[in-house]
Amino acid sequence: MTTATKERQYDIADINLAERGRFRMQWAAKEMPVLDLIEERFKKERPFKGIRMAAAMHVTAETANLMRVLLAGGAEVALAASNPLSTQDDIAAALVAYYEMPVYAIKGETTDQYNSHLNSVLDIKPHITMDDGMDLVAMLHTQRANLLENVVGGTEETTTGVIRLRAMAAAGKLAFPVIAVNDAQTKHFFDNRYGTGQSTIDGIIRSTNILLAGKNFVVGGYGWCSKGIAMRARGMGANVIVTEVEPLKALEAVMDGFRVMPMLEAAKIGHIFCSATGDIHVVDSNHMAVMQDGAILANSGHFDVEINLKALEKMSTKITRVRDFLDEYTLEDGRRLYVAGEGRLVNLAAAEGHPSAVMDMSFANQALAAEYMLKHGSELKGQVYDVPEAIDQEIARLKLKAMGVEIDVLTPEQQSYLNEWSLGTGH
């Protein structure tokens, strides 16, 4: 039930978890120095004063620190979960109790609750949206279109959301500009590769407690997230197989030293399967029909559609929860397949999501992209825009500064040479 505190609304699991959540926020903040530097400026300049922001994101300790920075900038923010299983209940409680922030998120919430929570954050009548997967933007356009006139623009955190937004923009349906934070170099090079790589392996191990060394580990796709998963699985001693549909990415996987084959072939020999493509039914019924007894299926794409769970249910005679985040599907022929984290984002459903250090850069992009959108949104069309290069470079600079790393600066002579076309061989 939605509850009020100090004239603020919220719907969370347990407000008594707040102190634990505050400690976890503080621990995460130690690894997020770029956000700290941005917060210092925001406190002075208050760029979001009088601005209402609706956010649908994974409610984690890292996200909470982003919320802290936005609040420091003067924003009024309401937060909902962007996935029913990704909420950390103690973090939701900490934001409500210590920041008086309206949060609508409960780990394990039903689909009806999930949609109700999205509606609740839209009740704030936002000027800026901050989305992870585009569900908030979709609801705003379809069910709450009366609020569109207030919206200056938005930001999008993940690959799946960017794919959906570009399709919406191509169809002429996107009513306001959105910055694709996911596509920033300081986001996908680090968050998608190193963050997803480490946290996905963490989620698979927590849900199963299996040894990866010596196993055939099948990775669906070879985009930035899948590259990270393949890299870390190999580092744990697994024999990694990559499946792809794009020739260039498949070639890259081969040149990186991985075996590449169709999913139907990989299905016959794989022990663990993890997809991170942003597409539907990457692991389908024809693949599951030939898998070995005991095969483990996991998903690290945003939505729970990469594994065809409905088909798997039809193929099964019994479904048993054998561990906290692991379900055993017994097939008619006696084989057993195991699904981690209910087929949802395994790194958040069964673990804690990305390490704070990589989310530092991702959420610095979110904060600065929102500021940019506030200043320039009225000049932009209903399209998807890249993060401005100046923001990307500034975040990289701040990260290096926080790490104590110094780099060279071009001399005037070098800069002049790079801008001169007439100098070539013999000059």
Side-chain angles (χ1 to χ4, degrees):
M1 178 179 291
T2 302
T3 311
T5 178
K6 297 186 180 181
E7 300 181 356
R8 300 268 184 163
Q9 301 294 312
Y10 65 90
D11 189 16
I12 62 176
D14 185 357
I15 193 69
N16 295 311
L17 299 173
E19 185 175 14
R20 176 187 170 197
R22 181 168 63 93
F23 285 136
R24 291 185 59 232
M25 278 183 65
Q26 292 171 347
W27 175 255
K30 293 178 184 295
E31 291 278 296
M32 305 183 84
V34 177
L35 273 185
D36 285 344
L37 292 170
I38 293 171
E39 182 184 26
E40 288 179 17
R41 178 171 68 83
F42 277 10
K43 282 181 177 178
K44 297 174 184 176
E45 299 178 7
R46 305 279 285 175
F48 299 119
K49 185 177 181 180
I51 298 300
R52 298 185 298 274
M53 302 179 69
M57 308 191 79
H58 302 299
V59 183
T60 66
E62 293 74 27
T63 301
N65 280 295
L66 170 61
M67 297 299 111
R68 166 178 60 85
V69 172
L70 297 176
L71 293 172
E76 179 184 346
V77 190
L79 174 66
S82 60
N83 186 290
L85 282 181
S86 64
T87 296
Q88 296 168 1
D89 289 323
D90 55 345
I91 298 299
L95 286 170
V96 171
Y98 295 105
Y99 293 88
E100 299 178 27
M101 186 175 160
V103 178
Y104 304 87
I106 300 171
K107 187 175 181 71
E109 62 193 29
T110 65
T111 300
D112 286 343
Q113 283 178 306
Y114 177 76
N115 289 322
S116 172
H117 289 165
L118 292 178
N119 260 309
S120 292
V121 298
L122 289 175
D123 286 342
I124 201 173
K125 299 180 180 178
H127 301 107
I128 299 284
T129 64
M130 192 169 281
D131 220 343
D132 191 330
M134 210 203 89
D135 280 352
L136 189 68
V137 169
M139 180 174 284
L140 185 55
H141 281 75
T142 56
Q143 300 177 32
R144 305 294 296 275
N146 60 304
L147 300 178
L148 287 171
E149 62 182 5
N150 298 313
V151 181
V152 176
T155 63
E156 171 56 51
E157 173 73 12
T158 198
T159 305
T160 299
V162 172
I163 291 170
R164 295 178 74 195
L165 283 165
R166 292 195 192 282
M168 193 176 186
K173 301 295 185 182
L174 186 58
F176 55 81
V178 179
I179 292 179
V181 167
N182 178 78
D183 293 349
Q185 293 189 67
T186 45
K187 201 278 187 184
H188 67 239
F189 281 176
F190 301 94
D191 175 317
N192 292 11
R193 177 167 42 172
Y194 299 111
T196 303
Q198 179 169 314
S199 62
T200 297
I201 298 301
D202 185 14
I204 290 171
I205 291 175
R206 288 200 204 194
S207 60
T208 63
N209 195 32
I210 64 163
L211 180 69
L212 297 190
K215 300 290 197 307
N216 291 334
F217 194 113
V218 181
V219 180
Y222 204 62
W224 285 107
C225 291
S226 294
K227 286 178 186 177
I229 297 167
M231 178 198 307
R232 293 299 178 238
R234 176 161 63 185
M236 295 290 285
N239 304 308
V240 178
I241 299 166
V242 172
T243 71
E244 250 300 345
V245 296
E246 295 187 18
L248 279 173
K249 289 182 179 178
L251 180 59
E252 184 179 10
V254 171
M255 301 304 283
D256 283 345
F258 298 111
R259 296 174 67 189
V260 175
M261 63 183 70
M263 180 62 82
L264 190 58
E265 294 304 309
K268 300 172 185 176
I269 59 175
H271 301 113
I272 306 159
F273 298 80
C274 186
S275 175
T277 69
D279 209 343
I280 193 169
H281 298 170
V282 179
V283 178
D284 212 343
S285 56
N286 61 324
H287 307 131
M288 295 182 283
V290 298
M291 286 181 182
Q292 302 178 47
D293 179 36
I296 295 165
L297 313 180
N299 165 49
S300 206
H302 186 78
F303 294 122
D304 60 341
V305 297
E306 305 218 7
I307 303 169
N308 190 345
L309 291 175
K310 291 183 179 178
L312 181 56
E313 289 174 11
K314 289 181 180 178
M315 296 166 65
S316 303
T317 59
K318 184 173 65 171
I319 303 172
T320 308
R321 174 64 55 91
V322 293
R323 288 172 61 89
D324 285 346
F325 301 107
L326 191 69
D327 295 319
E328 179 185 77
Y329 288 73
T330 303
L331 308 186
E332 292 181 358
D333 61 7
R335 284 180 300 124
R336 294 154 297 175
L337 302 182
Y338 295 88
V339 176
E342 298 180 17
R344 298 190 183 277
L345 275 164
V346 72
N347 58 342
L348 282 154
E352 298 178 53
H354 293 353
S356 306
V358 293
M359 295 311 299
D360 187 31
M361 285 183 283
S362 297
F363 286 161
N365 273 293
Q366 282 284 5
L368 297 184
E371 182 185 32
Y372 178 90
M373 187 59 77
L374 187 61
K375 292 178 180 177
H376 301 284
S378 60
E379 309 162 12
L380 305 176
K381 300 177 182 179
Q383 296 176 2
V384 181
Y385 291 87
D386 291 335
V387 172
E389 185 179 356
I391 289 179
D392 230 353
Q393 292 285 353
E394 174 65 4
I395 290 169
R397 186 189 69 80
L398 291 173
K399 190 68 173 179
L400 288 169
K401 177 182 177 182
M403 296 169 71
V405 177
E406 296 183 1
I407 61 175
D408 285 322
V409 176
L410 291 174
T411 66
E413 179 188 30
Q414 290 171 327
Q415 188 67 57
S416 176
Y417 180 83
L418 293 176
N419 292 327
E420 176 57 64
W421 62 268
S422 64
L423 297 176
T425 303
H427 289 84

